[in-house]
Amino acid sequence: MVGIEPIDLRQLMDDHGKRVFSICLRLCGDYFWAEDLTQETFLAAYNAWDDFDGKNVGGWLTRIASNKCLDYLRSAAVRHNQSEEDGFFAHIPIRSEAGTEAVFFETQCREALRTACEALPENYRSVAIAYYCNDEPLTDYAVRCGLPLSAVQTRAYRAKHMLRNKLKEAIAE
Amino acid sequence: MNHLSEQALRDLCTGAFDAARRCEALEHLAQCGDCMERFDAASQAALQVDPPAGLQESVLCKLCKIEPEPLKRQESFRQYTLRVIASVAATLILLFTGAFSSITKITPTEIHRQTAQVSRLLEMKFEQSELAAFIEKLSLEENAYASKTQ
């Protein structure tokens, strides 16, 4: 099979990105790890495309994502940090009122994220709110702020690390 | 572990399991094609959450190294050029102010005032024509100083 052109990978992410992310979110219980694991899933798919038999790409992606999450759950650091709270995002309850489930869940996630982002120091708050709350890709943010993309990526990476800790603190209260 | 029931698969998709049970379930899925297929189906039926909007771009960046558009780069180069010119102008101001004025002594306060003035210039996004006029004025003063000292 021919390797995926970037544009096909985009299509793959359009078709399956939300579902893969949701799987990772529920399996690892951490919004930011879910983001990382989703990225790893699609990068792995890109690299392994030649070995894919062409049947049921959705199922293939689910398998990759599940294995990534398993590796994550097994890792020593996660075992060490596991507590009874066990991942804020894994357990956000889904109300059973018809039609409002999705809205409620989405709102809970967004509110938790925004609160955590707004508690960050200035430079990190700005990139975190742009990326996690305002749906702005890092490339757009870099252009808008006149910063090199690599600097923005570093800032976003550090912000993510701080956000993880913030959410852990929020759960512990 | 035994094969996963439909309920277990649903629980996996809704976060009803704790980390240990999730791990166990995933270990089974890694070895059982049938259960993995059913898990895939369950994931399609389950509630989904949007990832950050920039996620796709982040993945593509890693593969294709997308850079910001060249047009925007040109604009920041222009601003950079203006800043360099303004810095040079700042040095000239400090030099000439000290040289010209026999009334105003070069005191720390005076230098501070000049520097503050120049800082305002650097912060401003002024037009090229204004900058050109400013530089021309400085050149005239430089020539006048040069002819005075000869």
XYZ file of all heavy atoms in Angstrom, chain A residues 31 89 105-115 132-135, chain B residues 50-53:
177
model
N -7.321 14.482 30.177
C -7.575 15.214 28.928
C -6.291 15.402 28.119
O -6.276 15.255 26.891
C -8.180 16.578 29.264
C -8.659 17.360 28.062
C -9.964 17.241 27.593
C -7.804 18.240 27.403
C -10.399 17.972 26.495
C -8.237 18.967 26.308
C -9.534 18.834 25.857
O -9.959 19.543 24.773
N -11.409 13.164 34.005
C -12.223 13.066 32.803
C -12.758 11.663 32.548
O -13.631 11.490 31.717
C -11.420 13.539 31.582
C -11.195 15.021 31.602
C -10.018 15.541 32.081
C -12.184 15.890 31.177
C -9.815 16.913 32.118
C -11.983 17.260 31.202
C -10.789 17.771 31.668
N -21.972 16.963 29.176
C -20.616 16.416 29.249
C -19.613 17.405 28.680
O -18.576 17.682 29.276
C -20.586 15.087 28.485
C -19.262 14.394 28.538
C -18.760 13.925 29.738
C -18.499 14.218 27.398
C -17.535 13.289 29.788
C -17.286 13.586 27.445
C -16.803 13.119 28.639
N -19.942 17.924 27.526
C -19.055 18.873 26.856
C -18.834 20.101 27.743
O -17.717 20.586 27.888
C -19.710 19.286 25.527
C -18.807 20.023 24.580
C -17.952 19.082 23.742
O -18.363 17.939 23.517
O -16.862 19.496 23.336
N -19.902 20.586 28.345
C -19.825 21.775 29.190
C -18.934 21.516 30.396
O -18.114 22.352 30.750
C -21.223 22.203 29.672
O -22.095 22.216 28.559
C -21.192 23.569 30.310
N -19.111 20.357 31.024
C -18.284 20.001 32.182
C -16.800 20.027 31.823
O -15.987 20.595 32.542
C -18.642 18.595 32.667
C -19.985 18.504 33.343
C -19.847 18.670 34.845
O -19.257 17.846 35.505
N -20.398 19.732 35.380
N -16.481 19.393 30.693
C -15.080 19.344 30.260
C -14.556 20.749 30.034
O -13.478 21.115 30.500
C -14.945 18.565 28.939
S -15.042 16.804 29.141
N -15.341 21.541 29.313
C -14.885 22.880 28.936
C -14.716 23.762 30.160
O -13.769 24.539 30.250
C -15.880 23.514 27.965
C -15.850 22.851 26.601
C -15.889 23.870 25.480
N -15.619 23.241 24.199
C -14.667 23.638 23.372
N -13.898 24.652 23.676
N -14.480 23.026 22.228
N -15.644 23.634 31.103
C -15.552 24.472 32.308
C -14.324 24.121 33.129
O -13.604 25.010 33.589
C -16.814 24.287 33.170
C -17.933 25.223 32.774
C -19.246 24.897 33.474
O -19.212 24.217 34.511
O -20.290 25.323 32.970
N -14.110 22.821 33.279
C -12.940 22.382 34.047
C -11.653 22.872 33.394
O -10.738 23.346 34.063
C -12.936 20.861 34.147
N -11.611 22.761 32.086
C -10.431 23.204 31.342
C -10.194 24.694 31.504
O -9.071 25.137 31.768
C -10.633 22.930 29.851
C -10.119 21.615 29.319
C -10.488 21.471 27.858
C -8.618 21.502 29.489
N -11.267 25.473 31.337
C -11.114 26.931 31.377
C -10.633 27.372 32.752
O -9.750 28.211 32.869
C -12.425 27.628 31.007
C -12.281 29.141 30.971
C -13.452 29.816 30.276
N -13.318 29.815 28.834
C -12.653 30.739 28.133
N -12.055 31.721 28.753
N -12.582 30.670 26.823
N -11.206 26.799 33.787
C -10.792 27.149 35.150
C -9.312 26.867 35.345
O -8.575 27.693 35.899
C -11.604 26.340 36.184
O -12.986 26.507 35.913
C -11.299 26.789 37.599
N -6.805 25.416 24.143
C -7.778 24.503 24.752
C -9.184 25.079 24.855
O -10.146 24.330 24.905
C -7.300 24.077 26.140
C -6.132 23.134 26.097
C -4.876 23.517 26.541
C -6.280 21.846 25.591
C -3.801 22.641 26.480
C -5.212 20.974 25.526
C -3.981 21.384 25.975
O -2.916 20.514 25.910
N -9.305 26.412 24.932
C -10.639 26.994 25.125
C -11.179 27.700 23.883
O -12.388 27.715 23.662
C -10.624 27.998 26.286
S -10.015 27.281 27.822
N -10.292 28.281 23.100
C -10.744 29.060 21.953
C -10.518 28.376 20.616
O -10.674 28.988 19.568
C -10.068 30.443 21.940
C -10.464 31.266 23.147
O -11.474 30.977 23.793
N -9.673 32.272 23.473
N -10.125 27.104 20.663
C -10.015 26.314 19.429
C -9.064 26.919 18.408
O -9.316 26.847 17.200
C -11.405 26.145 18.764
C -12.331 25.319 19.627
O -11.823 24.602 20.517
O -13.552 25.383 19.433
N -15.107 16.575 21.643
C -14.182 17.193 20.692
C -12.796 17.348 21.294
O -12.663 17.821 22.423
C -14.674 18.595 20.300
C -15.773 18.539 19.267
O -15.626 17.750 18.300
O -16.771 19.250 19.423
N -11.770 16.977 20.537
C -10.408 17.289 20.986
C -10.126 18.777 20.783
O -10.947 19.458 20.162
C -9.541 16.449 20.030
C -10.353 16.306 18.799
C -11.784 16.286 19.232
N -8.997 19.283 21.301
C -8.638 20.677 21.002
C -8.589 20.869 19.483
O -8.125 19.990 18.760
C -7.232 20.832 21.598
C -7.066 19.708 22.541
C -7.987 18.622 22.129
N -9.065 22.027 19.015
C -9.185 22.243 17.574
C -7.837 22.183 16.863
O -7.760 21.867 15.688
C -9.856 23.586 17.311
